[in-house]
Amino acid sequence: MTDAPAHVPAHDEAHGGGLGSRLNWLRAAVLGANDGVVSTAGLVVGVAGATESRDALLTAGLAGLLAGSMSMAAGEYVSVSTQRDSEKAALAQERRELREEPEAELAELTELLARRGLSPDIAREAAAQLTERDALRAHARVELGIDPDALTNPWHAAGASFLAFTVGALLPLLAIVLPPADHRLWITVVSVLAALTLTGWSSARLGAAPPSRAIVRNVAGGALAMGVTYAAGSLLGAAGV
C-alpha cells in the first residue's frame, strides 16, 4: 500500500516572458497616467494663475490633454515599432545562421547554456534537444532574449499610452473646472498630490523598490511643476498678458 501523495500547495506565480510583458505594460500605464497628471496639472494651474475664466481653463486643459495623449501615443508607436523591427531583424539573422551554420549554432547554444550553470555534458544534451524541438525559438530565447511568439505590438503600445495619459489628465482638468472659483486651486493641488502619491507608490511596487522614496520624488516634482507654472501665470496675468 503506497502512501497518499502529500498535498502540494497551489503555485500560481506566472513565469516566462508573459509576466515581464505584463509588468512592462503596467509600468508604462502608471508612468503614462503620471505624465498626464503632472503635465495637465501644470498647464491648468498656470492658466489659473493668470485668469479665473472657467472657459479658458477648460480650453487649455482639453488642449493639453489632447496634445499630450497624442504625443505619448505617437512616441510610443515609433519607439515600439523600432524595437519590433530590431527584434524581427535579429530573428531573421538567427534563422539564416541556423540554416547556413547549424553546427556552429549548436555549439554556441551549448556554450550559452553552460554559462548559465549547466555542466558541459548536460548543456550539450539540452542544446541538442532544444535544437531538435525548435532551434529558432531556443536561440531566440537563450541568445537574444526574445520570445518569437510575443513580439511587441506598436498599436497596442500607442493605445495604452493614449488611454493612460488621458485618464491621468482628466483628474486635474475636472478638479480645476468643476469646483467654484474660490476653491478650485486648492482642490486641484490636493487632488493632484494624492494622485501622484498613488502613482509613485504603484511604480515603486512594480519595480520592487522602496515606495517612500518614489512617492517623495513624485510628489515633490509635481508640486514644483505646479508652483512654477502658477507663478509664471500669475506674473503674466498681473502684466496683463
Side-chain angles (χ1 to χ4, degrees):
M1 178 178 175
T2 59
D3 294 335
H7 174 67
V8 179
H11 186 62
D12 297 328
E13 180 184 357
H15 295 277
L19 176 61
S21 178
R22 285 193 296 273
L23 288 177
N24 285 336
W25 281 113
L26 286 171
R27 188 174 295 111
V30 169
L31 294 177
N34 191 81
D35 286 345
V37 171
V38 174
S39 61
T40 307
L43 177 61
V44 296
V45 167
V47 174
T51 178
E52 293 185 353
S53 170
R54 192 186 303 270
D55 290 340
L57 292 169
L58 180 60
T59 300
L62 283 175
L65 184 154
L66 291 174
S69 59
M70 293 299 295
S71 175
M72 287 284 292
E76 195 70 15
Y77 178 83
V78 171
S79 174
V80 174
S81 294
T82 302
Q83 177 184 342
R84 184 183 177 90
D85 290 344
S86 298
E87 290 173 342
K88 292 173 70 174
L91 289 173
Q93 179 179 349
E94 198 63 39
R95 190 180 291 109
R96 182 171 59 254
E97 292 174 351
L98 285 168
R99 183 175 60 252
E100 297 174 355
E101 301 176 324
E103 294 301 325
E105 290 299 298
L106 178 60
E108 182 182 34
L109 182 59
T110 300
E111 181 181 356
L112 290 171
L113 291 173
R115 290 179 183 176
R116 297 191 174 191
L118 297 180
S119 66
D121 292 339
I122 297 297
R124 192 175 304 110
E125 180 181 353
Q129 292 184 11
L130 289 172
T131 299
E132 183 179 356
R133 180 177 301 174
D134 193 325
L136 179 61
R137 180 173 284 102
H139 280 267
R141 290 180 173 174
V142 176
E143 180 182 349
L144 304 176
I146 298 174
D147 185 351
D149 299 324
L151 296 182
T152 52
N153 187 313
W155 287 108
H156 291 171
S161 295
F162 181 91
L163 182 60
F165 187 97
T166 299
V167 170
L170 281 174
L171 174 69
L173 176 57
L174 295 176
I176 202 73
V177 299
L178 293 182
D182 293 341
H183 304 291
R184 62 170 56 127
L185 186 60
W186 71 263
I187 289 176
T188 300
V189 171
V190 170
S191 300
V192 166
L193 295 183
L196 293 178
T197 299
L198 178 60
T199 55
W201 178 86
S202 300
S203 62
R205 293 292 296 174
L206 289 171
S212 57
R213 191 174 302 173
I215 290 172
V216 170
R217 286 197 300 260
N218 220 30
V219 170
L224 179 62
M226 288 187 289
V228 169
T229 56
Y230 182 77
S234 298
L235 290 174
L236 291 173
V241 178

